[in-house]
């Protein structure tokens, strides 16, 4: 049985699917910021808020000014210590768990691990080194509870999902669960990744396993 190596951990929101994803499901959980929601938002430590967005985010988190400052300071500290990456990916499960317990229990989100097989792990490691990423991945064996699969591609500072470009259209036998993740066997997902090679975003598509991490 092939083992999966952990790329990292996300605190992912469970959000309503955008209009172009309505055929997949009513809700989406994704590590891609194009279609999903991750916490803390990368603007917390990278900057770049548009007018009013920071206050909207604070309101969404249901925090007063003091609570939000603590939240933002914690995110910045993790980024400065190179324990969270530009795409909001935690390198350590313990950091994701601590951050979730301190700040995220009041919103609809879960801690998820993302992992892949040794072959694709090596490919991704090379891509991260040539991008805005810290270039760090966890690398431990993923023993989390499987919740679905995805096909991802790294683009400078974050992942695209194959759903970003509706590349699921035309894939034979593709199935989705109630949070927009692939319900197909991982061997099928490997095949799907090969079939969409060169399509959509200019990235190297690779199959990915997602698991719930308590």
């Amino acid at each position: 049985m092939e083992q999966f190596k952990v790329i990292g951990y996300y605190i992912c929101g469970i959000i309503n699917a955008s209009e172009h994803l309505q055929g997949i499901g009513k809700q989406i959980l994704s590590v891609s910021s194009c279609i999903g929601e991750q916490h803390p938002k990368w603007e917390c430590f990278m900057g770049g808020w548009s007018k009013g967005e920071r206050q909207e985010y604070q309101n969404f988190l249901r925090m007063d000014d003091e609570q939000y400052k603590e939240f933002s300071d914690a995110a910045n500290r993790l980024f400065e210590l190179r324990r969270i990456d530009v795409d909001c990916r935690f390198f350590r499960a313990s950091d994701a768990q601590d951050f979730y317990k301190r700040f995220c229990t009041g919103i609809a989100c879960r801690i998820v691990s993302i992992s892949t097989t040794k072959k694709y792990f090596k490919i991704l490691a090379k891509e991260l080194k040539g991008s805005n990423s810290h270039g760090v991945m966890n690398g431990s064996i993923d023993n989390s509870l499987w919740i679905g699969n995805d096909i991802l591609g790294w683009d400078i500072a974050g992942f695209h999902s194959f759903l970003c470009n509706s590349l699921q259209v035309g894939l034979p036998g593709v199935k989705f669960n109630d949070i927009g993740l692939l319900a197909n066997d991982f061997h099928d997902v490997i095949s799907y990744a090969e079939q969409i090679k060169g399509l959509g975003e200019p990235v190297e598509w690779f199959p990915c396993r997602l698991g719930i991490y308590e």
Side-chain angles (χ1 to χ4, degrees):
M1 185 176 181
E2 191 150 26
Q3 294 181 319
F4 294 85
K5 300 189 71 173
V6 173
I7 296 165
Y9 307 89
Y10 291 85
I11 300 174
C12 286
I14 301 171
I15 64 174
N16 293 331
S18 59
E19 188 173 335
H20 84 284
L21 296 174
Q22 289 297 320
I24 294 171
K26 293 182 179 180
Q27 293 189 308
I28 291 289
L29 181 153
S30 179
V31 303
S32 170
S33 61
C34 299
I35 59 173
E37 185 177 75
Q38 304 82 38
H39 304 288
K41 285 183 175 292
W42 61 266
E43 289 94 341
C44 292
F45 44 83
M46 297 289 287
W49 291 108
S50 297
K51 185 177 180 180
E53 282 187 344
R54 192 209 62 77
Q55 187 61 53
E56 288 179 9
Y57 188 47
Q58 179 178 332
N59 294 342
F60 169 78
L61 294 170
R62 304 172 186 173
M63 293 181 177
D64 60 28
D65 290 347
E66 184 177 345
Q67 290 170 323
Y68 183 77
K69 184 180 186 305
E70 185 181 356
F71 171 90
S72 183
D73 287 348
N76 270 289
R77 188 160 51 252
L78 286 170
F79 187 71
E80 290 171 358
L81 292 172
R82 301 173 72 88
R83 285 159 58 179
I84 191 172
D85 213 339
V86 291
D87 61 327
C88 315
R89 174 170 41 93
F90 294 83
F91 303 133
R92 305 177 184 180
S94 57
D95 284 338
Q97 290 168 314
D98 178 64
F99 199 90
Y100 175 86
K101 290 174 182 176
R102 289 175 64 191
F103 304 114
C104 300
T105 56
I107 57 177
C109 61
R110 297 298 301 269
I111 301 172
V112 300
S113 62
I114 63 166
S115 56
T116 192
T117 57
K118 184 177 180 180
K119 171 185 174 180
Y120 298 103
F121 190 91
K122 287 183 176 180
I123 293 172
L124 180 58
K126 291 180 181 178
E127 292 189 339
L128 291 179
K129 289 179 180 178
S131 72
N132 291 340
S133 167
H134 290 324
V136 178
M137 294 193 289
N138 180 279
S140 62
I141 301 303
D142 196 348
N143 295 314
S144 61
L145 177 65
W146 176 77
I147 57 168
N149 299 314
D150 201 349
I151 301 173
L152 303 174
W154 182 262
D155 185 12
I156 303 176
F159 285 114
H160 287 295
S161 167
F162 77 125
L163 297 178
C164 298
N165 298 120
S166 299
L167 298 182
Q168 78 280 6
V169 176
L171 292 177
V174 67
K175 298 179 292 185
F176 293 93
N177 61 23
D178 59 359
I179 50 174
L181 294 173
L182 284 166
N184 299 79
D185 180 88
F186 197 79
H187 291 291
D188 290 337
V189 182
I190 292 174
S191 175
Y192 293 151
E194 288 295 322
Q195 290 177 55
I196 65 172
K197 189 173 183 178
L199 301 178
E201 304 291 343
V203 297
E204 183 83 24
W205 295 114
F206 71 97
C208 185
R209 176 194 189 275
L210 276 78
I212 286 288
Y213 207 89
E214 301 295 347

